[in-house]
Amino acid sequence: KTTLANTESFSALGASYGFKVAKVGIVYQMRRDDANLLDNNYYDISAYFPTASGAILIDFGGFENKLVSDGDAISATVRYDHFLSKRTSVYGGYSMIRNDARARFGLAAAAGVPMTVAPGDNSRGLAIGLHLVPPGTNIRHRGLEEPPGLIRR
């Protein structure tokens, strides 16, 4: 993004691979600008393990703020999806974000907007829900495919 005062660059690289027992993904991204307002890195590693009647998702990520000391954060999520049918699943999971003293990242609320967090405070949350896929769509729960509704940061 370029403005009269600043040019911002964003680079990202990601990959995933389906093994026989799991699908593993990795993302690495960098944001920089020439006004020295942005300089950060983000990484995320995830694994998706199908089970006999569902799937387990494990995710770990980290944010590195190169301009603000004590501005880093890490996040972790564990979730289980239980498939009731090809189009219906229930899920439950736990997520946490651990902020350094000056970081203020929060988990996203139901509307997708991050919850307000004071600098240095951590964020934790439980998610429990039901996911229904409308008839007429081609998305179904099968094998190593990720279930609909799987949200990536």
Side-chain angles (χ1 to χ4, degrees), residues 53 81-90 130-132 141:
S53 59
D81 297 345
H82 182 76
F83 307 144
L84 301 174
S85 71
K86 289 183 179 182
R87 297 188 180 276
T88 307
S89 63
V90 292
L130 173 69
H131 188 266
L132 304 170
H141 305 303

Side-chain angles (χ1 to χ4, degrees), residues 40-42 62-65 70-75 96-100 102-108 114-124:
N40 59 57
N41 298 322
Y42 172 78
F63 178 86
E64 177 187 23
N65 188 334
D70 289 329
D72 300 347
I74 59 169
S75 66
M96 59 75 65
I97 297 176
R98 181 175 296 154
N99 288 308
D100 283 354
R102 295 174 65 190
R104 43 183 293 179
F105 293 95
L107 295 172
M115 299 179 339
T116 303
V117 176
D121 283 355
N122 298 325
S123 183
R124 295 177 297 279

Side-chain angles (χ1 to χ4, degrees), residues 5-16:
N6 189 15
T7 298
E8 179 182 326
S9 67
F10 175 84
S11 301
L13 178 65
S16 67

Side-chain angles (χ1 to χ4, degrees), residues 26-86:
I26 186 166
V27 172
Y28 181 78
Q29 64 187 35
M30 299 178 295
R31 282 181 77 183
R32 310 280 186 268
D33 72 354
D34 59 3
N36 214 24
L37 300 172
L38 283 173
D39 191 357
N40 59 57
N41 298 322
Y42 172 78
Y43 64 89
D44 188 84
I45 301 167
S46 63
Y48 177 83
F49 302 93
T51 65
S53 59
I56 298 168
L57 171 73
I58 299 172
D59 184 86
F60 180 81
F63 178 86
E64 177 187 23
N65 188 334
K66 293 182 162 203
L67 296 177
V68 177
S69 64
D70 289 329
D72 300 347
I74 59 169
S75 66
T77 297
V78 176
R79 189 179 86 196
Y80 177 70
D81 297 345
H82 182 76
F83 307 144
L84 301 174
S85 71
K86 289 183 179 182

Side-chain angles (χ1 to χ4, degrees), residues 16-19 21-25 46-50 144-146 152:
S16 67
Y17 187 79
F19 297 94
V21 296
K23 184 173 186 177
V24 178
S46 63
Y48 177 83
F49 302 93
L144 285 176
E145 295 175 2
E146 296 176 351
R152 301 255 182 229

